[in-house]
Amino acid sequence: MKNESLSLIMPLKKREEVGNRWLFHRLNTLLPTLMKKHELDMWIVTGREYHEDPVLKTLYPAAIDSSRRLTILVFWLDEAGQLKRGAIHPNPSFEPFYERIWNRAEGDQWECLKNTVEMCEPERIGLNVSHSFAAGDGLSHTHYEHLQMVLSEYRDRFVSAQPLIVDWLSVRSGKEMMAYPAIAELTRGIAEEALSARVIHPGITTTEDVVDWIRQRVLDLGLQTSFYPTVDLQRKGSGMDRIEGEIIRHGDIVHLDFGILYLGLATDTQQLAYVLKPGETEAPEGLQSAFFTALRMEDILSLHMKEGKTGNEVFRSAMAAANKEQIDAMIYCHPIGPHCHEAGALIGLYDQQGDVPVKGDLPLTANTCYAMEFNIRQFVPEWGQEVPIYLEEPVALLDGKVEYMAKRQMGFYLI
């Protein structure tokens, strides 16, 4: 099987050049807007070697791979409203992304931070603490105590940087948005390859074999998986929705949940294949009907995922529309970005089919990407039972509407 999307994979040096251009663009254009939007005069991000703040990786240029003992990045708006970016660290690779503002002769790194704060006199100082988002809670307890001690006169000005972090992680720049569909298409191509006769031999191949093939394939391509992939089955006569650790047989539905991390952006998709029985040329009509119902559910979600609506509002309206059409559905969509389950507005949870506190109360924002994730259940006459159809497609909120970022799966892959 020819996978043309594989030709898009760049060598390491080229990837680093692209990542650096994206970072420089985001620091110059997106971050100043977010600082003003969330009314932060200063944002302090600290990291310790082997105990990194999750946000730091999205702020480092390619030549910086860790905090190297202690790194302090500080962002502040000057009197003219211009964003200044300082690195309190000796590594020259921080330039030109950040100005190195630490002079060893004038004290240690914490003293440099104190001098910077005193110079700027910020009213609101954002720190990476969050009760709701793990990626926004990267400030260690030790560093928090140290900040309280070093900046004791400013402790009442500390605020959570959570709103800023959510936008920083979830909002994509124009340059990133142009590339994200190619990353999504690369993921889809690998998934289609995995769910093919090249990999799956009925009666021999197990679900675990497919997982192992995917992990090795991704590694051989010089990529990373964004999470440990899963492969499971739906089988006629089984009382289980998702069978794992089984030999794949004729007549099975093979379900793959898989994503990659490439150019600092994660994907997450679920695809389906049907294993033809001898003499069959297509999946049974009942299974095809169930798949078409799942496609209709995607259409419903696309209509209701609107900028400005909260995740909970989207969930309620989409479920109401599905119920009106007698579609038995579950919805659990989430943002994607540098992390597979990115910070941002959630639209339902697999184990919480209703309003999601805090995360579901956030509005959907423009230039964000989502894993449109859900399942439907439908009675299949040929199987004499209800069959779940699990699908997940990468989409983007652009110009007030949902755009699919990869070729949409319109029917079962056939093995």
Side-chain angles (χ1 to χ4, degrees):
M1 177 184 295
K2 185 178 180 181
N3 190 344
E4 295 181 357
S5 60
L6 299 184
S7 63
L8 301 172
I9 300 175
M10 294 182 287
L12 179 60
K13 186 63 177 178
K14 183 65 175 178
R15 297 185 206 185
E16 291 179 345
E17 291 172 357
V18 170
N20 281 344
R21 286 200 301 270
W22 288 358
L23 174 62
F24 201 67
H25 180 68
R26 285 173 63 86
L27 290 172
N28 282 321
T29 60
L30 178 60
L31 189 55
T33 300
L34 297 182
M35 291 278 288
K36 294 171 185 176
K37 172 185 175 181
H38 298 294
E39 299 179 338
L40 289 182
D41 303 300
M42 178 174 282
W43 182 29
I44 299 171
V45 187
T46 72
R48 301 167 70 182
E49 192 170 17
Y50 307 124
H51 190 64
E52 303 285 359
D53 185 315
V55 174
L56 271 175
K57 191 172 184 179
T58 69
L59 295 169
Y60 283 158
I64 305 293
D65 61 358
S66 75
S67 291
R68 303 287 179 90
R69 297 184 178 88
L70 170 66
T71 290
I72 303 174
L73 298 181
V74 56
F75 307 86
W76 69 95
L77 295 171
D78 64 15
E79 293 181 356
Q82 298 298 308
L83 181 67
K84 302 296 183 181
R85 311 188 300 264
I88 304 179
H89 195 281
N91 193 330
S93 295
F94 275 105
E95 298 174 340
F97 305 89
Y98 305 92
E99 178 187 358
R100 287 185 295 149
I101 59 176
W102 179 34
N103 183 344
R104 289 179 183 271
E106 297 177 357
D108 66 17
Q109 288 164 276
W110 294 107
E111 288 176 291
C112 178
L113 175 63
K114 181 180 180 181
N115 293 337
T116 304
V117 173
E118 290 176 342
M119 174 190 70
C120 298
E121 282 294 327
E123 292 297 320
R124 286 168 50 85
I125 303 173
L127 302 180
N128 292 7
V129 292
S130 171
H131 290 289
S132 302
F133 293 99
D137 196 35
L139 180 63
S140 73
H141 181 70
T142 301
H143 276 187
Y144 182 64
E145 288 184 326
H146 215 90
L147 286 168
Q148 286 187 311
M149 178 182 66
V150 171
L151 303 177
S152 58
E153 298 177 14
Y154 298 88
R155 284 184 296 183
D156 61 344
R157 306 185 192 186
F158 292 166
V159 298
S160 170
Q162 175 183 298
L164 168 71
I165 294 169
V166 168
D167 280 352
W168 173 254
L169 294 176
S170 63
V171 176
R172 305 271 61 83
S173 69
K175 294 178 183 294
E176 292 172 305
M177 199 63 87
M178 288 181 65
Y180 219 152
I183 301 171
E185 187 61 31
L186 175 59
T187 308
R188 187 208 60 80
I190 297 171
E192 185 176 0
E193 192 176 10
L195 297 177
S196 74
R198 175 181 174 183
V199 176
I200 296 174
H201 305 281
I204 299 173
T205 308
T206 68
T207 56
E208 293 166 332
D209 291 335
V210 183
V211 170
D212 292 340
W213 182 92
I214 292 168
R215 295 178 65 232
Q216 188 64 53
R217 180 68 163 147
V218 170
L219 181 65
D220 291 345
L221 290 170
L223 305 171
Q224 295 175 259
T225 54
S226 56
F227 60 96
Y228 199 98
T230 59
V231 175
D232 53 73
L233 307 172
Q234 284 81 57
R235 175 174 292 163
K236 180 180 180 178
S238 173
M240 297 176 61
D241 281 353
R242 298 174 67 169
I243 307 167
E244 297 185 59
E246 282 279 335
I247 293 174
I248 299 169
R249 303 176 187 170
H250 294 287
D252 286 343
I253 296 172
V254 186
H255 164 254
L256 167 64
D257 191 354
F258 159 66
I260 65 170
L261 183 64
Y262 179 52
L263 295 177
L265 296 173
T267 62
D268 188 4
T269 188
Q270 293 181 50
Q271 306 269 281
L272 295 172
Y274 175 74
V275 186
L276 295 167
K277 293 181 178 180
E280 287 184 325
T281 58
E282 59 185 14
E285 186 177 331
L287 290 182
Q288 293 186 57
S289 174
F291 201 106
F292 294 151
T293 300
L295 293 178
R296 175 56 190 157
M297 190 65 212
E298 288 180 352
D299 293 339
I300 290 171
L301 280 166
S302 295
L303 289 171
H304 290 270
M305 291 176 67
K306 298 293 185 182
E307 178 186 348
K309 293 178 66 174
T310 69
N312 289 333
E313 288 171 341
V314 174
F315 177 87
R316 290 195 298 267
S317 62
M319 284 297 289
N323 291 334
K324 187 176 181 180
E325 297 187 25
Q326 297 184 325
I327 298 175
D328 184 1
M330 294 175 63
I331 301 172
Y332 32 97
C333 308
H334 60 84
I336 51 175
H339 306 103
C340 179
H341 287 181
E342 193 51 88
L346 290 185
I347 306 171
L349 284 169
Y350 186 84
D351 56 354
Q352 187 171 333
Q353 288 294 287
D355 282 6
V356 179
V358 184
K359 295 180 181 180
D361 293 325
L362 293 176
L364 277 65
T365 53
N367 300 318
T368 55
C369 300
Y370 270 80
M372 183 191 285
E373 186 176 8
F374 67 96
N375 71 66
I376 65 98
R377 301 180 69 88
Q378 185 165 306
F379 184 79
V380 174
E382 295 90 340
W383 284 24
Q385 65 190 67
E386 283 193 341
V387 176
I389 300 293
Y390 297 90
L391 286 179
E392 185 174 18
E393 293 281 11
V395 299
L397 288 174
L398 288 171
D399 300 323
K401 62 180 180 178
V402 166
E403 297 280 357
Y404 285 84
M405 292 201 294
K407 182 181 178 181
R408 187 179 177 190
Q409 186 179 10
M410 301 300 291
F412 292 103
Y413 301 131
L414 299 177
I415 301 172

